[in-house]
Amino acid sequence: MEETEPLIIHDHYEIDYHHSYAEDSPFFVGLGKEKLLGSRCTACGYTFATPRAYCMQCGAATQWHELPLTGRVHTFTTCHYGGEAFLKETPFTLILVEFDGADTLFLSRLKNLPPDQVRIGLPVRARFAKTPTFKVTDVWFEPLDHPRGQ
Amino acid sequence: MKPVYMISGGITKFAKAHPDKDFRLMVKEAYDYALRDLPRFSKDMISGAVGSYFSDHFTRQLKAASMVQDFLGLCPKPSKRVEGGGATGGLCFQSAWEAVASGRMECCVAFGFETMSRVNTWKGNEFIALASDTNFDFPVGGFYSGYYAMMVQRHMYEFGTTVEQMAMVSVKNHANALYNPYAQKAKRLTVKEVRESPMVATPLTMEDICTMSDGAAVCILASEDLAGKVCDRPVRISGVGSGSDAMRMADRPHGNVILLPHERESDYRNLKYPGVHSFRGGRMAAKLAYEMAHLQNPNDELSFVELHDAYTSSEIQTYEDLGLCKYGQGGRFVESGRPFMPGVDYGLELPEQGGLPVNPSGGLLACGHPVGATGLMQAVFAFWQLQRTMEKHLGNGTLQVKNPKRGLIHSHAGTGTYITVSILEAA
């Protein structure tokens, strides 16, 4: 018995979730209308480039705030590997976008630019999926000087 | 608060997989080692335990810490599980400290483990990425190496940090581990080899990033009274601190630096902080720990540091958070040679080699990162350093810091969402 090798079995696991975006839902609906919704604090005016129902700075309620559809690359990376779900999409470029009038950033993908040409400060424009999937990937960015619709 | 001492510790070898041992047996191996190293101690002196493991996805067993408690024969004593991403081990250590400091327990066992080999590396990366916002960050291409790559790109832009400086961290930690038989990935590397290894997320290569690991670690913490009775060389935990930050790094503010005692506002006139280049939670953790331990200047008063180097870049960022150098000077701090071990040949020009060794054990980069065990592993190495027993436990004395008085351990979660800093002192 002591000579028995460790027995390894294979076991599959899968589950469907009913996932509500709850108070953040208007953001995802907004993507379908080609709008980027951030949040602005009703008390201190701090402006987030993401949905936050309450202000991280002062705790007051925020209101929805429409962000500009152009911004700049604050930082970037090109991923040559990834989590299993995204391996087939590699290489892909992630950016944090900064917007005029917003105090924080927005994480998205940058498309239509070779990885070696990405740089901090690059002007970018939001693009939206024609058929919404109601995921944050319904929006992505491309260089501002990229011809529209290509 | 009552004084708290670490009186023993044990670890398993960290390895890609331990198919011959489940998580219970891994912890027991570390636990038995800790007990054997403390002959005057007996199990009935243990008041309770805190267990840590990061991911229920990896474990495929909820309440796994209950199974360890049972396996160690510690039922029906008090027990709980602590979880906080990559900082799980550090939080567990501080939770055990709290139990003893409050007087609730005379002796608390902190145990931690992770079994990451149960899935392939890329599924494992996906599990880890689920510890980022699953509505906003994960779906974009959730990948922690990508998040850290974006942070260091900004660090490079703000401060002029170079990929060669990052590679020097990799050379250092992998070479230190050559003298640590518990480490998973010891090797001699050059800066060129680090840069030429496969690119993962620009600018981070495979050798800039820690590996997944199976392993366990155990720390035994006790009151002053009990420590004096059973332990010849107890180590006092003189300071604990922790901090936090927004889950989405996009949401981090761009404000003023939290200053340490040896810094001034004028040091950082034009720095927007923390942005995505620095860890505000790490700075907060350090500040609180230094205050409790009455440290004025960590660079002069620490003998060594074991910090959470999941990435070479985050080691450089963390030098700055801990105040080992000013913000922006982390890259130059590596080049100075200060964080290298004295007496080890790295094949590099290091003018101030060994001034303040950082990750003498090899850190996460070379030891591996079995998440729930990692922060406790750091405590065990720090304990052995301060007991001056590295040679006894590692089989060679190369990594023993000479006359160590005080060490710092640092555990880090997410993109800096939970961070712990604990200060240990030779009694």
Side-chain angles (χ1 to χ4, degrees):
Chain A
M1 297 285 277
E2 283 175 15
E3 300 301 312
T4 308
E5 288 286 307
L7 179 62
I8 298 170
I9 61 160
H10 292 274
D11 193 13
H12 185 70
Y13 178 59
E14 200 172 309
I15 193 158
D16 284 320
Y17 284 97
H18 302 287
H19 183 69
S20 172
Y21 288 125
E23 70 277 9
D24 291 341
S25 297
F27 169 84
F28 295 92
V29 174
L31 295 181
K33 299 173 184 164
E34 304 209 347
K35 284 182 180 178
L36 264 181
L37 294 178
S39 7
R40 174 166 282 170
C41 179
T42 53
C44 73
Y46 203 89
T47 304
F48 299 91
T50 52
R52 298 191 63 103
Y54 294 91
C55 177
M56 185 167 63
Q57 302 295 329
C58 75
T62 62
Q63 60 193 19
W64 291 104
H65 171 78
E66 207 170 321
L67 295 164
L69 298 182
T70 58
R72 291 169 302 279
V73 172
H74 182 78
T75 190
F76 65 94
T77 184
T78 299
C79 296
H80 297 268
Y81 292 88
E84 194 176 71
F86 305 106
L87 267 185
K88 60 184 181 301
E89 298 168 24
T90 57
F92 56 84
T93 297
L94 300 178
I95 56 171
L96 284 166
V97 186
E98 55 186 43
F99 300 97
D100 286 336
D103 295 300
T104 66
L105 309 168
F106 183 77
L107 173 67
S108 195
R109 286 217 193 165
L110 180 71
K111 299 184 184 175
N112 297 330
L113 189 68
D116 61 353
Q117 291 178 30
V118 189
R119 59 178 174 83
I120 288 173
L122 180 82
V124 290
R125 164 202 307 133
R127 294 285 308 273
F128 297 88
K130 288 198 177 69
T131 313
T133 61
F134 302 106
K135 291 192 171 169
V136 71
T137 44
D138 283 350
V139 63
W140 66 89
F141 286 77
E142 67 181 10
L144 192 57
D145 62 10
H146 187 81
R148 272 177 193 276
Q150 289 188 26
Chain B
M1 285 180 296
K2 302 181 175 195
V4 183
Y5 291 79
M6 182 161 169
I7 58 171
S8 196
I11 46 180
T12 63
K13 180 170 172 61
F14 288 5
K16 186 166 175 57
H18 279 304
D20 53 331
K21 296 170 202 152
D22 69 5
F23 58 89
R24 300 170 306 170
L25 188 53
M26 284 197 302
V27 176
K28 182 160 170 55
E29 193 177 298
Y31 171 77
D32 287 347
Y33 189 98
L35 292 190
R36 276 199 305 277
D37 200 35
L38 201 60
R40 299 205 301 278
F41 183 79
S42 66
K43 216 181 78 176
D44 56 12
M45 296 172 184
I46 296 171
S47 321
V50 190
S52 69
Y53 62 101
F54 156 56
S55 176
D56 296 321
H57 290 81
F58 279 117
T59 312
R60 275 298 301 280
Q61 170 65 63
L62 304 190
K63 288 195 89 299
S66 295
M67 294 170 72
V68 175
Q69 180 86 356
D70 163 351
F71 199 76
L72 298 180
L74 291 175
C75 299
K77 295 177 191 209
S79 186
K80 66 180 171 190
R81 175 220 183 162
V82 170
E83 188 280 315
T88 293
L91 290 164
C92 178
F93 184 78
Q94 294 195 347
S95 182
W97 176 89
E98 285 156 9
V100 178
S102 66
R104 184 181 171 203
M105 292 189 191
E106 281 295 303
C107 175
C108 186
V109 173
F111 66 81
F113 63 87
E114 209 73 46
T115 49
M116 307 179 83
S117 62
R118 290 183 169 190
V119 294
N120 74 57
T121 296
W122 307 113
K123 194 71 186 173
N125 269 285
E126 194 179 303
F127 285 172
I128 292 166
L130 290 171
S132 60
D133 189 313
T134 54
N135 284 351
F136 293 92
D137 291 353
F138 177 76
V140 179
F143 185 36
Y144 260 94
S145 297
Y147 304 153
Y148 276 79
M150 283 191 282
M151 284 189 267
V152 77
Q153 289 282 14
R154 192 70 198 186
H155 198 277
M156 293 162 74
Y157 177 83
E158 294 278 348
F159 304 127
T161 310
T162 67
V163 291
E164 288 76 18
Q165 290 166 338
M166 288 152 55
M168 287 176 78
V169 173
S170 179
V171 171
K172 168 173 74 72
N173 294 358
H174 286 102
N176 288 349
L178 290 166
Y179 308 97
N180 180 357
Y182 292 99
Q184 178 174 337
K185 199 178 151 227
K187 56 176 147 177
R188 200 166 288 288
L189 283 170
T190 63
V191 166
K192 189 164 177 279
E193 285 165 344
V194 175
R195 289 315 302 162
E196 287 177 354
S197 73
M199 185 58 72
V200 177
T202 51
L204 299 170
T205 72
M206 287 278 184
E207 299 295 357
D208 283 307
I209 304 174
C210 69
T211 52
M212 297 198 200
S213 197
D214 280 11
V218 167
C219 299
I220 304 179
L221 272 50
S223 66
E224 187 157 43
D225 185 42
L226 181 60
K229 281 183 193 150
V230 301
C231 185
D232 294 330
R233 273 187 280 184
V235 164
R236 192 161 76 90
I237 302 159
S238 59
V240 296
S242 64
S244 60
D245 214 329
M247 184 69 152
R248 297 189 296 238
M249 65 175 181
D251 288 356
R252 309 267 164 96
H254 296 74
N256 295 326
V257 177
I258 300 165
L259 298 175
L260 293 175
H262 63 298
E263 294 179 328
R264 284 173 299 186
E265 237 172 83
S266 58
D267 295 338
Y268 301 120
R269 273 208 188 100
N270 299 314
L271 184 61
K272 298 205 175 358
Y273 179 86
V276 296
H277 51 72
S278 299
F279 301 115
R280 182 170 58 150
R283 178 46 75 97
M284 175 60 81
K287 182 173 155 61
L288 294 173
Y290 295 163
E291 280 170 8
M292 193 185 290
H294 306 294
L295 296 197
Q296 290 303 312
N297 188 336
N299 212 6
D300 298 336
E301 295 166 282
L302 294 171
S303 310
F304 65 89
V305 172
E306 287 283 346
L307 64 77
H308 193 98
D309 57 326
Y311 300 91
T312 55
S313 51
S314 59
E315 175 160 326
I316 288 175
Q317 291 167 290
T318 300
Y319 297 151
E320 301 171 357
D321 299 325
L322 298 178
L324 308 185
C325 58
K326 297 254 180 341
Y327 276 111
Q329 295 180 0
R332 271 160 278 168
F333 185 72
V334 189
E335 280 181 340
S336 77
R338 283 181 64 73
F340 288 75
M341 277 299 289
V344 171
D345 179 16
Y346 298 96
L348 294 165
E349 283 281 319
L350 303 165
E352 297 173 57
Q353 181 170 352
L356 175 54
V358 176
N359 287 326
S361 69
L364 283 60
L365 282 169
C367 289
H369 182 20
V371 186
T374 303
L376 296 169
M377 163 196 83
Q378 296 171 322
V380 173
F381 288 132
F383 174 72
W384 290 342
Q385 285 284 10
L386 292 162
Q387 276 200 323
R388 302 183 205 176
T389 54
M390 288 291 273
E391 183 165 4
K392 172 184 162 191
H393 295 289
L394 269 54
N396 75 89
T398 311
L399 302 178
Q400 178 67 60
V401 174
K402 300 288 173 281
N403 302 314
K405 292 186 174 56
R406 196 180 283 114
L408 180 152
I409 56 175
H410 162 274
S411 194
H412 175 116
T415 52
T417 42
Y418 296 134
I419 302 181
T420 66
V421 169
S422 305
I423 311 286
L424 284 74
E425 303 201 16

